[in-house]
Amino acid sequence: MTDAPAARIIHAALGLIVEHGIGGVTMSAVARQAGVARQTLYNHYPDIESIVYAAVDAHQRESLDQLSELIRTVDSPSGRLEHLVRHTAAVAAHSHPNFKHGFSSKHQELLAQYDRGFRTLVEAALRDGVKTREFRADIDPRPDAVLLQRMIEGAGELVSNDPDNGAATVTTAVKTVLAAVRT
């Protein structure tokens, strides 16, 4: 059974991070958003950094698990890369532009863990694409996954900065990413 106040606290913190960035996450704001007393926050977490860490950790794990499960259902390596581009753009469209600003080194490591998990998905798609000859034979999955991940993140950043042109950006990003790997 899930601890209902703790779940509400995490949900409230995530909402505040997305809406206002890290600077918008205060004990008062989380308590108000979660509909709990400030003392309830302290019963579960010693400080705001612990709340933010728990919220980001839970979100990153859940997001990566869901993305991994979804990617497994996509048959072609090209389709997987396309989905990763679309996923990144969708997340970016709903994120606060300064989402990562103000994260401590501990929080930066959480984000790095997600990045490594995401890169593993890109690398697997590249490896499968080379094996099935859908992608060029000269693709080296490990370093090329890093480069493609940066391209995909760049597309997400463009969508975040200009959501009104998000659909066109995603279309271009998918075309560019696939052109980089296909035979």
Side-chain angles (χ1 to χ4, degrees):
M1 178 187 273
T2 308
D3 183 350
R8 289 200 322 260
I9 291 166
I10 296 300
H11 183 74
L14 284 171
L16 290 167
I17 292 168
V18 168
E19 189 174 343
H20 304 290
I22 295 295
V25 184
T26 64
M27 292 299 254
S28 296
V30 171
R32 186 173 43 257
Q33 189 84 3
V36 299
R38 279 182 58 137
Q39 184 56 49
T40 302
L41 297 180
Y42 289 109
N43 290 341
H44 293 276
Y45 302 98
D47 53 33
I48 195 65
E49 182 160 347
S50 298
I51 293 172
V52 170
Y53 184 88
V56 171
D57 184 43
H59 177 69
Q60 299 290 58
R61 288 175 193 272
E62 182 179 332
S63 294
L64 199 53
D65 287 348
Q66 288 176 352
L67 183 58
S68 296
E69 284 298 315
L70 186 57
I71 289 297
R72 283 188 199 107
T73 68
V74 179
D75 292 332
S76 75
S78 291
R80 281 183 247 146
L81 288 179
E82 178 177 349
H83 186 77
L84 291 169
V85 171
R86 293 185 184 286
H87 167 81
T88 300
V91 169
H94 295 96
S95 294
H96 190 274
N98 295 320
F99 173 72
K100 295 179 182 181
H101 180 71
F103 271 30
S104 68
S105 59
K106 182 176 163 183
H107 293 114
Q108 292 294 339
E109 178 52 33
L110 274 179
L111 298 176
Q113 287 174 20
Y114 180 84
D115 286 346
R116 286 188 296 272
F118 188 92
R119 187 174 314 119
T120 298
L121 296 175
V122 174
E123 191 175 324
L126 290 176
R127 191 172 288 108
D128 291 347
V130 169
K131 186 189 311 183
T132 62
R133 294 190 169 100
E134 186 177 338
F135 297 159
R136 295 190 336 262
D138 66 339
I139 296 288
D140 187 347
R142 181 163 287 163
D144 288 342
V146 174
L147 295 170
L148 282 182
Q149 181 178 4
R150 297 295 180 251
M151 288 173 67
I152 293 168
E153 290 169 351
E157 186 177 332
L158 289 171
V159 169
S160 178
N161 291 334
D162 187 10
D164 293 339
N165 289 315
T169 299
V170 169
T171 298
T172 300
V174 168
K175 181 179 72 174
T176 302
V177 165
L178 293 178
V181 296
R182 283 189 173 153
T183 57

